[in-house]
Amino acid sequence: DQQVKQNSPSLSVQEGRISILNCDYTNSMFDYFLWYKKYPAEGPTFLISISSIKDKNEDGRFTVFLNKSAKHLSLHIVPSQPGDSAVYFCAATVYNNNDMRFGAGTRLTVKP
Amino acid sequence: EAEVAQSPRYKITEKSQAVAFWCDPISGHATLYWYRQILGQGPELLVQFQDESVVDDSQLPKDRFSAERLKGVDSTLKIQPAELGDSAMYLCASSFRTGGVTEAFFGQGTRLTVV
């Protein structure tokens, strides 16, 4: 039962360009969404989140967009840097539950 | 900087043996999670604690897996007997929950290999 889906296993972009990572969810009860970044041999680290009452949240080079009607969210990284190369996980939860469900991840490679 | 501590980092065990993982969450974090991550997949929730109580263990294979958080602080995840399919990264995470959602902080994980 995969409630959170990241259909692109990998993405490669040139340094300085925009990276767009996508995530879809099926459970309409989800109302809070998070992005995590994971480097090899480390645990995931929190990047940015968005509540369902918003459609956009921005933090520096990172912006998350939420389209509730499409059950879709995306993470934009502008400009992309080689240090952004990592696996990015989308996670979703119900606000009062705090039970996070993760997508399979997208491996981002930013080429110098 | 406060962090979630997990041990061991790596564990190799023979199938049918027992194995245990330990997690010490960030001080003051009431919510503790155990996730399993198989290579190429996202983390899968095994069990969620709120203080010492289990909130969700619906995905925990209870015939062989057990988890406890006796004093509401550190936690142990046990597998007995281990099977080949249990080979994965086991991640512990914690969050400070005052109501609603806060982001979870992950430990570095325990890489389990069952041979």
Side-chain angles (χ1 to χ4, degrees):
Chain A
D1 179 18
Q2 200 175 4
Q3 301 183 47
V4 180
K5 299 178 182 179
Q6 294 176 258
N7 293 319
S8 298
S10 63
L11 174 68
S12 181
V13 299
Q14 206 67 35
E15 181 179 7
R17 297 291 185 98
I18 184 172
S19 296
I20 300 176
L21 297 97
N22 294 303
C23 177
D24 298 290
Y25 61 96
T26 58
N27 189 342
S28 57
M29 296 296 291
F30 289 144
D31 55 9
Y32 200 85
F33 306 89
L34 309 94
W35 284 94
Y36 282 80
K37 179 170 70 173
K38 185 180 184 302
Y39 293 118
E42 295 183 13
T45 56
F46 171 74
L47 194 57
I48 192 170
S49 63
I50 188 167
S51 164
S52 61
I53 63 173
K54 295 185 177 181
D55 54 18
K56 176 183 175 181
N57 189 27
E58 191 172 353
D59 183 2
R61 297 185 297 113
F62 302 91
T63 302
V64 56
F65 295 92
L66 175 63
N67 183 333
K68 290 185 289 293
S69 61
K71 294 191 179 68
H72 176 83
L73 63 155
S74 60
L75 175 68
H76 293 211
I77 306 173
V78 182
S80 301
Q81 300 174 354
D84 295 330
S85 297
V87 177
Y88 289 78
F89 291 102
C90 170
T93 188
V94 177
Y95 188 70
N96 285 322
N97 185 311
N98 224 6
D99 168 10
M100 290 186 298
R101 304 288 176 169
F102 284 81
T106 297
R107 180 176 301 279
L108 173 66
T109 303
V110 180
K111 297 179 180 178
Chain B
E1 182 175 312
E3 60 181 31
V4 177
Q6 286 189 251
S7 67
R9 286 291 308 276
Y10 303 93
K11 180 70 177 179
I12 299 175
T13 190
E14 294 183 349
K15 65 179 181 178
S16 81
Q17 295 298 303
V19 63
F21 314 128
W22 176 80
C23 172
D24 190 12
I26 294 172
S27 178
H29 280 196
T31 304
L32 184 147
Y33 310 84
W34 282 103
Y35 284 88
R36 175 173 61 186
Q37 185 185 9
I38 296 170
L39 193 63
Q41 299 181 20
E44 172 197 14
L45 180 69
L46 292 175
V47 62
Q48 178 186 350
F49 289 93
Q50 181 70 22
D51 299 309
E52 67 275 9
S53 300
V54 173
V55 173
D56 183 356
D57 63 356
S58 58
Q59 303 297 313
L60 188 71
K62 298 182 187 64
D63 57 335
R64 298 185 300 109
F65 286 64
S66 64
E68 60 182 16
R69 192 185 183 198
L70 292 175
K71 297 182 179 179
V73 181
D74 59 340
S75 176
T76 303
L77 178 69
K78 297 179 181 177
I79 308 174
Q80 183 173 18
E83 296 181 353
L84 295 177
D86 297 330
S87 295
M89 174 75 82
Y90 289 83
L91 294 162
C92 178
S94 70
S95 67
F96 177 65
R97 184 184 176 193
T98 58
V101 175
T102 58
E103 67 269 20
F105 295 83
F106 282 83
Q108 291 187 301
T110 297
R111 169 73 65 189
L112 172 67
T113 302
V114 182
V115 297

